[in-house]
């Protein structure tokens, strides 16, 4: 286990999250009713003929396998030395960095993950709300590591077996409903879950440690620069990263998974500002149980220059996002609470929206601009 452990954020649902199950529907396989189906029958058809006894998570297409093959080493006295594993440095222990780390470790790659602040991803960051993991993403996780997938299935809240879709913000009437259940079941895939980002990162970090030991992820290690090197004698290429505290580390490959303000990206392509989407976002998690909880998983309420998303995240909690079109870097009036401003923006909308805002404590409502690269 990682040496740094903190309490989970207020958005974290209890470990014994309730899985909402609606009335039975016709299903295409015996596992579908519990939101979990067996991928083996379908994935088995693409197994390597020489790998009958291997887990399918060990089998990758030839191009991917070649990319993570053993790194070459210099020869000695005309004889090639034994190849060593490819050494990969990953900057950032968020979801993307950790999924990649697990995948590479399962292929025998030597991986080192540097993270600036593990406490930020282990429970102290309020912005780390739940994330929806669609059926195809669950299948990808299973192909990478079966234990990781099973733990996500166990701890996630099933939303894919209920009604999801787009609604009119003012009336609450449905525009369209998404069937995410039957397409998944028909293809032998797990049903969509929602899971706390913090829980997901803990599952992935634990998997890294299970495979490679407790030192595979290094805390308080912020990658701030890198340098590409070439040995003049052998021509061998490598990369050396510099950490914020002055230490350095070397490898064959560096992958920047350090977020929208990535220092690796800045070194690679230069400094540039993220692109503002035109929308600011208020978000919160509330202890709130809608009357139609067992029927509806998530809804997107649409309006002119604004929209609102609500989703069941398990444990009697609802996650919501309120988006409003306005200039970047805005602030709330000093004499007005965020909840009050939200009710100015969405107060004329249906009760499915306003009740959820009213049920959220002021201190749990956060705001940030939505930007991208």
């Amino acid at each position: 286990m990682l040496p740094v452990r903190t309490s989970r954020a207020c958005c974290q649902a209890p470990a014994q999250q309730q899985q909402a199950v609606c009335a039975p529907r016709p299903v295409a396989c015996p596992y579908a009713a519990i939101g979990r189906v067996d991928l083996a029958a379908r994935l088995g058809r693409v197994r390597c003929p020489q790998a009958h006894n291997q887990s399918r998570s060990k089998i990758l297409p030839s191009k991917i396998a070649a990319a993570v093959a053993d790194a070459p080493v210099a020869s000695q006295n005309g004889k090639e030395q034994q190849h060593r594993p490819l050494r990969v440095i990953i900057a950032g222990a968020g979801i993307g960095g950790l999924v990649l780390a697990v995948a590479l470790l399962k292929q025998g790659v030597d991986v080192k993950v540097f993270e600036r602040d593990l406490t930020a991803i282990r429970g102290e960051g309020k912005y780390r709300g739940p994330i929806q993991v669609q059926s195809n993403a669950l299948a990808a996780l299973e192909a990478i590591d079966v234990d990781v997938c099973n733990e996500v299935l166990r701890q996630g809240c099933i939303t894919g077996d209920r009604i999801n879709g787009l609604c009119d913000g003012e009336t609450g009437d449905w525009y369209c409903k998404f069937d995410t259940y039957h397409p998944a079941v028909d293809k032998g895939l797990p049903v969509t879950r929602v899971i706390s980002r913090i829980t997901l990162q803990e599952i992935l970090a634990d998997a890294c440690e299970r495979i490679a030991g407790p030192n595979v992820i290094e805390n308080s290690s912020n990658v701030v620069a890198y340098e590409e090197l070439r040995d003049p004698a052998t021509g061998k290429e490598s990369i050396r990263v510099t950490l914020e505290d002055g230490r350095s580390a070397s490898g064959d490959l560096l992958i920047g998974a350090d977020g929208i303000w990535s220092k690796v990206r800045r070194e690679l392509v230069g400094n540039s500002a993220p692109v503002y989407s035109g929308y600011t976002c208020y978000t919160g998690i509330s202890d709130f149980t809608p009357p139609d909880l067992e029927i509806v998983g998530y809804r997107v309420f649409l309006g002119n220059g604004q929209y609102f998303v609500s989703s069941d995240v398990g444990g009697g909690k609802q996650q919501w996002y309120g988006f409003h079109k306005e200039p970047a870097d805005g602030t709330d009036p000093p004499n007005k609470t965020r909840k009050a401003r939200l009710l100015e923006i969405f107060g004329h909308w249906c009760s499915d929206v306003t009740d959820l805002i009213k049920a959220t404590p002021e201190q749990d409502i956060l705001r940030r601009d939505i930007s991208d690269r």
Side-chain angles (χ1 to χ4, degrees):
M1 307 294 286
L2 286 176
V4 179
R5 289 292 186 188
T6 63
S7 59
R8 294 180 181 175
C10 60
C11 63
Q12 170 61 44
Q16 60 271 27
Q17 287 179 327
Q18 300 172 352
Q19 293 182 341
V21 179
C22 347
R25 297 184 178 88
V27 297
C29 75
Y31 302 101
I34 58 172
R36 176 71 181 85
V37 296
D38 188 6
L39 295 174
R42 293 180 182 273
L43 293 184
R45 291 180 295 178
V46 297
R47 285 186 178 179
C48 172
Q50 285 77 36
H52 298 295
N53 296 324
Q54 280 188 280
S55 164
R56 62 180 172 277
S57 63
K58 294 289 187 182
I59 307 302
L60 289 177
S62 57
K63 289 185 179 179
I64 299 177
V68 299
D70 288 348
V73 297
S75 61
Q76 184 176 15
N77 298 326
K79 295 182 179 179
E80 189 176 12
Q81 297 176 353
Q82 183 177 1
H83 282 207
R84 60 165 174 79
L86 185 74
R87 295 179 302 175
V88 174
I89 297 172
I90 299 176
I95 293 172
L98 290 177
V99 169
L100 176 63
V102 174
L104 294 177
L105 287 168
K106 292 296 291 284
Q107 298 304 313
V109 176
D110 183 0
V111 175
K112 185 71 173 181
V113 182
F114 291 113
E115 169 57 43
R116 178 180 61 85
D117 183 8
L118 277 171
T119 61
I121 69 166
R122 304 299 263 186
E124 294 179 3
K126 280 191 174 183
Y127 286 117
R128 301 289 179 175
I131 185 172
Q132 182 171 256
V133 187
Q134 293 278 10
S135 298
N136 57 338
L138 290 167
L141 283 177
E142 180 167 25
I144 292 169
D145 188 277
V146 174
D147 291 337
V148 166
C149 181
N150 287 339
E151 193 62 18
V152 171
L153 294 175
R154 186 182 73 82
Q155 296 204 47
C157 169
I158 302 174
T159 58
D161 63 347
R162 286 174 274 173
I163 297 173
N164 305 283
L166 307 178
C167 299
D168 182 278
E170 294 189 8
T171 67
D173 295 338
W174 289 96
Y175 286 136
C176 64
K177 300 175 182 179
F178 307 141
D179 179 10
T180 61
Y181 179 81
H182 289 94
V185 169
D186 291 345
K187 293 183 179 298
L189 301 177
V191 177
T192 296
R193 296 317 202 258
V194 171
I195 188 169
S196 164
R197 283 179 171 85
I198 299 163
T199 300
L200 179 56
Q201 287 173 308
E202 287 181 339
I203 292 170
L204 292 165
D206 289 345
C208 289
E209 293 178 341
R210 165 172 51 85
I211 300 167
N215 298 320
V216 63
I217 303 172
E218 189 167 329
N219 188 26
S220 302
S221 300
N222 186 20
V223 174
V224 295
Y226 70 85
E227 181 182 7
E228 297 178 80
L229 306 173
R230 179 188 292 270
D231 188 320
T234 65
K236 180 180 180 296
E237 295 180 336
S238 62
I239 195 158
R240 180 170 60 208
V241 302
T242 301
L243 305 180
E244 193 171 37
D245 60 7
R247 291 178 296 141
S248 63
S250 297
D252 300 304
L253 183 68
L254 168 64
I255 298 172
D258 46 343
I260 195 169
W261 301 105
S262 169
K263 295 179 177 63
V264 174
R265 181 188 188 278
R266 183 188 63 196
E267 289 282 307
L268 182 65
V269 301
N271 197 18
S272 63
V275 178
Y276 179 52
S277 68
Y279 284 82
T280 195
C281 175
Y282 292 86
T283 182
I285 293 182
S286 178
D287 293 315
F288 184 79
T289 303
D292 54 3
L293 176 68
E294 294 194 0
I295 300 173
V296 177
Y298 73 84
R299 279 181 283 217
V300 180
F301 299 89
L302 302 178
N304 182 23
Q306 61 194 75
Y307 60 104
F308 192 94
V309 181
S310 66
S311 175
D312 179 26
V313 294
K317 295 180 181 293
Q318 288 277 312
Q319 166 87 4
W320 58 265
Y321 301 90
F323 297 86
H324 186 241
K325 189 173 184 178
E326 58 184 81
D329 302 320
T331 58
D332 296 307
N335 59 344
K336 186 175 296 183
T337 66
R338 287 176 176 171
K339 183 184 291 190
R341 181 156 194 263
L342 274 168
L343 290 174
E344 280 187 355
I345 298 170
F346 295 101
H348 62 291
W349 279 24
C350 63
S351 60
D352 293 316
V353 172
T354 56
D355 287 351
L356 191 49
I357 295 172
K358 293 175 182 178
T360 307
E362 172 68 24
Q363 65 270 21
D364 291 338
I365 299 176
L366 303 170
R367 175 181 176 172
R368 63 187 183 275
D369 287 346
I370 303 300
S371 301
D372 202 353
R373 291 284 187 181

